[in-house]
């Protein structure tokens, strides 16, 4: 095995996520605004984990508890350390909040901004590699930069006559000439942790915003004779920051386009109108599935092959098999649909509803925490909640499982090959046996035995149950 010539120091990541995000004009902290259905800060945190750092430090402050909760949701089980920045005095002050953890640590620290969500871990890995290779691993700081056609709003990179890094100047503090520079600071850096904190002590807030800028640190390091280098990246999209809602909407469109185009070109998925389809990055769609306009596929939805999802439907964390048709305007959340099923139009599946292979749910039917068995049907105007339904059963139009008594939820169990008549009320808890039937308009308050036919309000047996007639010994 060939040994790497440079011994790499342990790696930590620090994410800045304490800011207010004034330019969002929102009551919600900026890093909690969602892109691709997940908070901005979660994107950055997920990318950070791909670097396999020893620890991820997250600087929280504004709406700290909510940010913490969001991050923990994403980084469940990872080594995360939250540090609090009491007052939002600038990015330099934010990093300083982690001083006690990192100032004496002989490690490499990658600093990320919670509002730069598109950065890829491959780019960060290349940044870290550049940092370690430059000056035999003695580099104090590597800055990720990019050239933008419109650099407005970003900190600009000022290079000296030798083309080497000189300093970063914020837009608000820049001269007209400096503003002409189109090389910008991405807000992403790689530091020698000890050197970073030593230079950070010298940062002052004598600038137009009265803030402690992290961007002053590289020049301070350079002035102290340390090696500071630039890692210029080619992909401008990756480093786009979100400061206002227009930038957020731009990124959302970018992500959506990327997902839909990938599914068309690599996944063999048909989109009738690709500009009008919304597919989250964590969703999967199989080959030869057709997606109509205005369909939203969100969360971790899985759709098999040969399916058709008609206009106006929304699927959130749904698991859909092969050859399924979801007709117009359905809402399907946290539910499962087996191969060959048909859903809708205008159906609602939620709360871990399961449709087994070949079953059918028609218009104005709601399924909640209900399992509809193989080839069973609920075709019209029905509510099935907390229920299990066997195979080959037909649920008549207007059937309702009365599952709630005002205090508790109760279950309904319906067997195989049952015929539930139109407008039947199943007052739970109640069980209907295999091959049983209910008459139209029945209110079923007692269990119905196998093969039994019940009718009326409350429903009484018209044809005796197989088991009861067996018992009578006739
Ligand atoms: C920053 C950089 C700028 C760079 C740009 C890239 C500074 C001074 N400027 O500007 O050079 O081009 O990012 O996107 O660093 N934050 C805190 N605490 C604070 C202030 C900010 O945690 O007191 C966090 C914010 O939540 C945010 C990140 O730091 O995630 C960046 O802050 P922001 O105010 O957006 O900096 P920019 O003005 O965009
Ligand atoms: Ca920003």
């Amino acid at each position: 095995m060939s040994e790497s010539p440079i011994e790499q120091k342990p790696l930590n990541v620090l994410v800045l996520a304490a800011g207010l995000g004034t330019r969002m004009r929102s009551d919600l902290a900026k890093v909690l605004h969602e892109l691709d259905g997940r908070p901005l800060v979660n994107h950055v945190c997920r990318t950070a984990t791909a670097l396999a750092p020893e620890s991820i430090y997250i600087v929280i402050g504004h709406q700290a508890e909510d940010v913490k909760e969001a991050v923990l949701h994403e980084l469940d089980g990872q080594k995360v350390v939250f540090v609090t920045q009491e007052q939002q005095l600038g990015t330099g002050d934010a990093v300083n909040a982690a001083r006690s953890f990192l100032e004496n640590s002989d490690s490499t620290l990658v600093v990320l901004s919670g509002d730069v969500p598109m950065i890829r871990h491959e780019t960060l890995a290349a940044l870290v590699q550049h940092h370690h290779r430059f000056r035999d691993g003695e580099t104090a700081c590597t800055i990720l930069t990019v050239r933008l056609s419109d650099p407005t709003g970003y900190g600009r990179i000022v290079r000296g006559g030798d083309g080497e890094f000189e300093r970063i100047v914020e837009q608000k503090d820049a001269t007209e000439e400096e503003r002409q520079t189109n090389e910008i600071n991405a807000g992403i850096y790689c530091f020698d942790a000890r050197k970073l904190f030593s230079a950070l002590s010298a940062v002052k807030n004598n600038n137009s915003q009265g803030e402690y800028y992290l961007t002053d640190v590289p020049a301070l390091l350079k002035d102290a004779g340390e090696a500071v280098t630039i890692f210029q990246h080619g992909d401008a999209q990756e480093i786009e920051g979100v400061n206002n809602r227009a930038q957020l909407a731009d990124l959302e469109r970018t992500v959506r386009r990327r997902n839909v185009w990938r599914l068309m070109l690599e996944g063999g998925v048909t989109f009738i109108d690709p500009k009008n389809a919304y597919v989250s990055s964590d969703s999967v769609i199989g080959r030869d599935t057709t997606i109509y306009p205005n369909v939203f596929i969100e969360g971790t939805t899985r759709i098999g092959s040969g399916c058709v999802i008609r206009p106006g439907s929304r699927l959130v964390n749904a698991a859909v098999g092969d050859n399924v048709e979801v007709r117009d305007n359905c809402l399907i959340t946290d539910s499962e649909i087996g191969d060959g099923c048909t859903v809708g139009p205008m159906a609602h599946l939620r709360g871990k509803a399961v449709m087994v292979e070949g079953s059918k749910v028609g218009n104005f039917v709601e399924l909640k925490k209900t399992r509809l068995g193989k080839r069973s049907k609920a075709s019209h105007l029905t509510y099935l909640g907390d229920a299990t339904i066997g195979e080959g059963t037909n649920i008549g139009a207007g059937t309702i499982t009365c599952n709630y008594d005002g205090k508790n939820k109760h279950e309904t169990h319906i067997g195989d090959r049952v015929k539930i008549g139109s407008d039947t009320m199943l007052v739970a808890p109640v069980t209907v046996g295999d091959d049983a039937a209910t008459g139209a308009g029945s209110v079923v308050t007692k269990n119905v035995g196998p093969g039994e036919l019940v009718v009326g309000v409350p429903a009484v047996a018209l044809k005796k149950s197989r088991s009861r007639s067996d018992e009578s010994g006739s």
Side-chain angles (χ1 to χ4, degrees), residues 25-38:
R25 301 187 188 281
S26 175
D27 292 337
L28 185 69
K30 175 170 65 181
V31 296
L32 291 178
H33 278 259
E34 290 189 355
L35 169 70
D36 197 13
R38 293 187 300 130

Side-chain angles (χ1 to χ4, degrees), residues 16 18-19 23 30 85 88-91 114-115 155 170 185 213 243:
L16 303 181
R23 291 162 281 183
K30 175 170 65 181
Q85 182 193 21
Q88 282 64 65
L89 302 177
T91 48
D115 64 347
E170 289 304 296
N185 167 33
Y213 291 164
N243 292 321

Side-chain angles (χ1 to χ4, degrees), residues 404-432:
Y404 187 50
D405 62 11
K407 271 193 196 144
N408 297 305
K409 297 279 172 65
H410 300 284
E411 294 181 0
T412 300
H413 298 285
I414 301 172
D416 300 338
R417 301 171 302 278
V418 172
K419 290 187 174 58
I420 300 290
S422 296
D423 208 22
T424 296
M425 301 295 126
L426 297 152
V427 183
V430 73
T431 297
V432 179

Side-chain angles (χ1 to χ4, degrees), residues 1-59:
M1 249 171 67
S2 76
E3 233 175 285
S4 160
I6 300 151
E7 201 185 316
Q8 298 207 346
K9 295 177 178 177
L11 183 75
N12 287 298
V13 176
L14 179 92
V15 179
L16 303 181
L20 273 81
T22 316
R23 291 162 281 183
M24 294 298 277
R25 301 187 188 281
S26 175
D27 292 337
L28 185 69
K30 175 170 65 181
V31 296
L32 291 178
H33 278 259
E34 290 189 355
L35 169 70
D36 197 13
R38 293 187 300 130
L40 291 172
V41 64
N42 288 33
H43 289 258
V44 178
C45 288
R46 190 189 281 184
T47 307
T49 60
L51 290 176
E54 282 198 344
S55 295
I56 300 176
Y57 294 85
I58 318 231
V59 185

Side-chain angles (χ1 to χ4, degrees), residues 197-403:
F197 284 94
S198 133
L200 199 53
S201 308
V203 170
K204 304 219 165 42
N205 65 348
N206 54 348
N207 50 55
S208 66
Q209 304 190 79
E211 288 187 357
Y212 296 91
Y213 291 164
L214 177 61
T215 46
D216 285 349
V217 167
L220 286 166
L221 286 167
K222 184 160 186 193
D223 293 346
E226 296 289 353
V228 176
T229 169
I230 285 173
F231 179 73
Q232 199 185 77
H233 186 48
D235 184 350
Q237 226 159 38
E238 260 186 63
I239 58 79
E240 271 179 54
V242 174
N243 292 321
N244 59 48
R245 298 192 199 229
Q247 290 169 329
L248 180 59
D250 280 347
L251 285 194
E252 187 74 52
R253 198 173 52 229
T254 303
V255 172
R256 193 164 76 219
R257 193 190 138 87
R258 194 178 63 190
N259 292 345
V260 170
W261 259 253
R262 177 175 42 80
L263 286 163
M264 289 194 293
L265 301 178
E266 292 168 26
V269 177
T270 296
F271 286 88
I272 301 294
D273 181 1
K275 287 196 174 128
N276 256 310
Y278 304 78
V279 184
S280 72
S281 301
D282 290 341
S283 291
V284 179
I285 306 177
R287 206 176 157 99
D288 291 321
T289 281
T290 300
I291 312 285
Y292 276 77
N294 259 327
V295 165
F296 291 75
I297 295 168
E298 301 178 15
T300 53
T301 291
R302 306 251 171 293
I303 299 176
S305 57
C307 296
V308 182
I309 316 290
R310 304 226 177 251
S313 290
R314 180 163 166 243
L315 289 80
V316 187
N317 305 326
V320 179
D322 298 332
N323 305 312
V324 169
E325 182 179 1
V326 176
R327 296 181 177 157
D328 312 43
N329 296 310
C330 293
L331 173 59
I332 297 159
T333 58
D334 306 308
S335 295
E336 210 182 302
I337 301 172
D339 295 346
C341 290
T342 311
V343 188
M346 290 155 295
H348 186 189
L349 269 57
R350 63 187 175 100
K352 301 206 168 90
V354 178
M355 288 177 65
V356 181
E357 199 185 323
S359 60
K360 185 185 167 201
V361 156
N363 35 204
F364 303 108
V365 172
E366 177 180 356
L367 255 59
K368 187 220 83 175
K369 206 175 170 190
T370 283
R371 183 184 170 87
L372 184 63
K374 205 167 171 177
R375 291 187 311 279
S376 288
K377 291 179 183 170
S379 299
H380 328 268
L381 301 161
T382 286
Y383 172 62
L384 299 169
D386 306 297
T388 60
I389 293 129
E391 294 186 21
T393 285
N394 189 66
I395 308 290
T399 295
I400 290 174
T401 52
C402 311
N403 60 334

Side-chain angles (χ1 to χ4, degrees), residues 77-151:
Q78 310 271 344
K79 187 141 191 311
V80 185
V81 182
F82 291 96
V83 295
T84 307
Q85 182 193 21
E86 298 295 347
Q87 269 183 295
Q88 282 64 65
L89 302 177
T91 48
D93 181 66
V95 171
N96 202 48
R99 176 178 288 278
S100 62
F101 293 94
L102 292 163
E103 68 177 335
N104 296 320
S105 144
D106 186 19
S107 66
T108 300
L109 185 67
V110 170
V111 175
L112 302 175
S113 292
D115 64 347
V116 183
M118 305 278 275
I119 188 73
R120 292 180 316 129
H121 66 87
E122 292 90 344
T123 307
L124 295 179
L127 171 79
V128 172
Q129 196 180 48
H130 181 91
H131 180 84
H132 284 146
R133 292 230 168 119
F134 194 75
R135 297 278 169 86
D136 293 339
E138 287 308 312
T139 315
C141 170
T142 305
I143 307 159
L144 184 69
T145 74
V146 76
R147 290 198 184 276
L148 293 183
S149 50
D150 178 12

